Amino acid sequence: MGITTYTAARILKGQLQGQTGEETVMTMDTFPHVGLAKTYSVDFQVPDSAATATAYLCGVKTNLNIVGVGAAARNGICKSQKGNEVTSILKWAKDAGKSVGIVTTTRVQHATPAASYAHSASRKWYSDADLPDNAKIHGCTDIASQLLNNTDIDVIIGGGRKYMTPKGTKDPEYPRDFSSRGKRLDGRNLINEWQSMKKGKVARYVWNRTDFDAVDPETTDYLMALFEPGDLRFEEERNPRMDPSIVETTEKAIRILQKNPKGFFLLVEGGRIDQAHHAGRASMALHETVALDNAIAKGLQLTNEEETLTLVMADHSHPFVINGFPFRGNSILGKSPLWGMDMLPFTTLLYGNGPGHKLTDGKRADIRKVDTKTKDYVQQSAVPMAADTHGGEDVAVLARGPMSHLFQGVQEQNYIAHALAYAACVGRDLRHCQQPQQTRPLSSDTFSSYKIQAPIARARGTGTRDPCRGVDWTGSDSVGNPDPCPARPGETPTLLVAVGLQVPVEDLCPPAVVLNRRTRPFNR
């Protein structure tokens, strides 16, 4: 969800409402604090979702294709991940007593959700059937099994049923589809195991709309909802009688998690935005982005901004552009009024590379009689690729709620996890959360000069120490008080699409300036 996707989705959302589109205000546009995150990985200029998710969830930059493991690990080499595992903001929140959840439109074993709970030298080790023999010999486990064993996650919503059941197990929704059947070679049924692990609690597993709607958030402790064998269907192709929307899954997750008086952490991923772009289907990508924006609106409606930090960001972008001087109000999915030097029209939205590169007798396709606004239209691209690559530019970071000012400016992507942890007082270093209360007055810029120092892994061979160990603090506040967390020798530390992190007011940091429950942690 790069800047181009963000802008084009804004225009589409307005045009779907009968407006010209450009002037539309999306929910994301209302976030007061905006920054940029640098997305490169340790080994590549242009990253993938595994490396970026590890950065913003675990606070450590790492290598392409690996999740929850530092840069000393090598892609696909099981033994290299041993001792280099890093933990995530989801685990830090759980360890602090908060409820935690994952909502995604992909399979729950996919790169972004996996980085919140798994440690794998390959993002593609979804089930044990995907593990190479060498990985099994060295004791690596698949991502699906780690979903159960690593962190006690309260809410898990997405797709990925086939990675949870024994090989050949018929899918309840598509019993005749062999590609939807179970993949596991170890004979384990992880869905049944998950239910057994929750004895004594109200734990619900559902796979369809009817059962999902029957889940009562007030009486449910745990929810696992897997609506497809693999990734969920695109929003424009979703069957509303079988599968709920991302708005509905986000609402259900929040209503379950927010019962915890200590707060919650929720990762919401519009993961099919990325997959639509890979297929060159701009319409699909933009409709997925609009759906995500609607889910963000629902999240804000259900939470209290005085106690909930909400962050919206992309993991990376795509080679996707808006171009051609279209007139104001022209369909964002339509054609430019300009033609190319080859005397052929082109669309407002184009890709730098991807499956839309097609030549006939050395010329681009003539799209004068083609409806480019359909959901299945594949935009033209400059370079032929089976799927488009990612883009390498910075991505937007949008924040609102307590401590949202921490996300302004241009930051390394791995800074995000540390700023979230600081705001919520979770993680290993809580010294800034344990100061005695003071009664000095608050000012609008009280915290403005604190700076979080988040060193980056500069080389792969950084040793086997857990990089998620600490954060250094420097500076003093705007009224001259010394930093409550003085600097110490540096240690290597580590939607989100949308993420909500709810904490009681007295837990907000720094608590030294919190007078009572009615005192805001900062002035707007």
Side-chain angles (χ1 to χ4, degrees):
M1 193 180 72
I3 296 294
T4 303
T5 302
Y6 180 16
T7 304
R10 177 192 300 126
I11 296 172
L12 176 64
K13 185 170 187 177
Q15 291 178 346
L16 291 173
Q17 297 169 348
Q19 304 168 4
T20 58
E22 297 84 1
E23 75 288 352
T24 303
V25 178
M26 292 213 297
T27 301
M28 289 184 268
D29 295 339
T30 67
F31 282 49
H33 297 286
V34 180
L36 293 173
K38 295 184 273 187
T39 64
Y40 65 91
S41 65
V42 170
D43 55 348
F44 277 80
Q45 201 170 71
V46 176
D48 78 323
S49 297
T52 54
T54 301
Y56 67 74
L57 291 173
C58 302
V60 170
K61 290 232 176 192
T62 190
N63 299 323
L64 214 70
N65 290 327
I66 61 179
V67 293
V69 187
R74 298 294 186 273
N75 178 26
I77 308 300
C78 167
K79 62 182 180 182
S80 70
Q81 78 180 48
K82 300 298 182 179
N84 293 308
E85 297 88 351
V86 294
T87 53
S88 76
I89 181 71
L90 180 142
K91 179 170 172 52
W92 307 340
K94 187 67 178 185
D95 290 346
K98 302 182 189 301
S99 296
V100 297
I102 296 167
V103 172
T104 180
T105 55
T106 68
R107 68 204 82 174
V108 296
Q109 304 87 0
H110 209 254
T112 296
S116 70
Y117 63 83
H119 314 288
S120 180
S122 173
R123 59 177 288 180
K124 297 180 180 179
W125 292 348
Y126 302 123
S127 78
D128 68 320
D130 302 309
L131 288 170
D133 291 339
N134 187 265
K136 294 177 181 179
I137 291 172
H138 286 93
C140 282
T141 56
D142 61 276
I143 294 170
S145 65
Q146 293 185 56
L147 178 62
L148 273 64
N149 300 329
N150 288 0
T151 303
D152 185 24
I153 303 174
D154 302 271
V155 174
I156 302 166
I157 301 177
R161 291 192 295 256
K162 64 184 179 182
Y163 305 110
M164 309 288 283
T165 56
K167 182 177 176 63
T169 302
K170 291 183 179 180
D171 186 80
E173 188 173 359
Y174 313 105
R176 297 183 179 180
D177 181 8
F178 285 88
S179 66
S180 299
R181 294 184 177 182
K183 302 294 184 184
R184 302 196 64 82
L185 301 179
D186 56 11
R188 296 174 64 188
N189 187 314
L190 299 183
I191 296 170
N192 292 344
E193 289 185 22
W194 178 84
Q195 292 173 311
S196 298
M197 293 168 65
K198 309 305 179 188
K199 287 183 177 179
K201 298 288 185 179
V202 179
R204 297 288 306 276
Y205 166 72
V206 301
W207 61 268
N208 59 67
R209 175 63 175 264
T210 301
D211 292 343
F212 177 79
D213 288 345
V215 173
D216 182 359
E218 295 301 317
T219 60
T220 299
D221 300 312
Y222 291 92
L223 172 63
M224 177 185 285
L226 304 179
F227 295 110
E228 291 289 335
D231 301 320
L232 301 191
R233 294 183 180 274
F234 288 114
E235 178 63 20
E236 286 295 279
E237 298 175 339
R238 177 176 62 86
N239 181 351
R241 293 175 297 179
M242 289 299 298
D243 300 332
S245 68
I246 189 174
V247 175
E248 295 165 306
T249 54
T250 298
E251 177 176 5
K252 186 81 75 174
I254 291 175
R255 291 193 182 279
I256 292 172
L257 298 175
Q258 67 184 2
K259 300 195 304 290
N260 188 338
K262 293 186 177 181
F264 69 92
F265 172 89
L266 175 63
L267 171 67
V268 179
E269 183 202 18
R272 301 231 66 189
I273 299 171
D274 169 77
Q275 294 173 345
H277 275 316
H278 281 309
R281 300 170 71 183
S283 176
M284 283 297 197
L286 299 188
H287 278 91
E288 291 292 310
T289 307
V290 170
L292 175 64
D293 191 63
N294 294 336
I296 295 167
K298 176 59 69 173
L300 295 178
Q301 176 188 335
L302 294 171
T303 56
N304 181 355
E305 189 173 346
E306 298 297 325
E307 61 181 15
T308 307
L309 171 61
T310 304
L311 191 71
V312 178
M313 64 175 291
D315 50 357
H316 56 72
S317 67
H318 284 259
F320 182 56
V321 296
I322 303 174
N323 73 134
F325 295 109
F327 296 111
R328 176 74 182 273
N330 192 64
S331 172
I332 191 63
L333 301 173
K335 305 179 183 76
S336 167
L338 299 180
W339 286 27
M341 293 177 65
D342 56 4
M343 300 306 295
L344 292 172
F346 58 92
T347 52
T348 299
L349 301 174
L350 292 172
Y351 288 91
N353 61 58
H357 181 92
K358 294 179 175 65
L359 299 179
T360 302
D361 295 328
K363 288 188 176 183
R364 292 187 299 119
D366 185 347
I367 60 172
R368 280 178 291 184
K369 297 181 180 180
V370 176
D371 184 359
T372 62
K373 302 173 188 177
T374 66
K375 65 182 180 64
D376 295 318
Y377 178 73
V378 175
Q379 263 69 19
Q380 293 178 347
S381 62
V383 177
M385 298 283 288
D388 95 322
T389 64
H390 293 163
E393 70 270 22
D394 298 351
V395 295
V397 180
L398 314 169
R400 66 187 296 168
M403 295 288 173
S404 55
H405 66 285
L406 292 174
F407 300 93
Q408 297 179 123
V410 180
Q411 309 287 355
E412 295 291 350
Q413 197 169 39
N414 59 309
Y415 165 90
I416 301 298
H418 297 290
L420 285 171
Y422 177 73
C425 285
V426 301
R428 296 189 177 185
D429 189 351
L430 303 179
R431 291 175 298 171
H432 62 292
C433 305
Q434 300 168 350
Q435 302 299 314
Q437 291 189 352
Q438 299 177 10
T439 58
R440 60 182 175 85
L442 295 172
S443 66
S444 61
D445 60 347
T446 299
F447 312 119
S448 61
S449 64
Y450 283 111
K451 182 178 180 182
I452 303 177
Q453 304 285 348
I456 308 164
R458 303 190 183 281
R460 297 179 183 178
T462 54
T464 58
R465 183 168 57 86
D466 181 357
C468 298
R469 188 171 293 275
V471 176
D472 296 335
W473 307 87
T474 62
S476 61
D477 67 18
S478 61
V479 292
N481 293 283
D483 186 345
C485 302
R488 57 196 174 95
E491 295 184 0
T492 306
T494 63
L495 130 101
L496 292 186
V497 188
V499 54
L501 189 51
Q502 181 173 319
V503 293
V505 171
E506 64 267 24
D507 287 346
L508 291 166
C509 309
V513 297
V514 176
L515 306 182
N516 53 53
R517 278 186 176 271
R518 294 181 297 278
T519 303
R520 293 182 179 182
F522 63 99
N523 293 335
R524 289 180 182 80

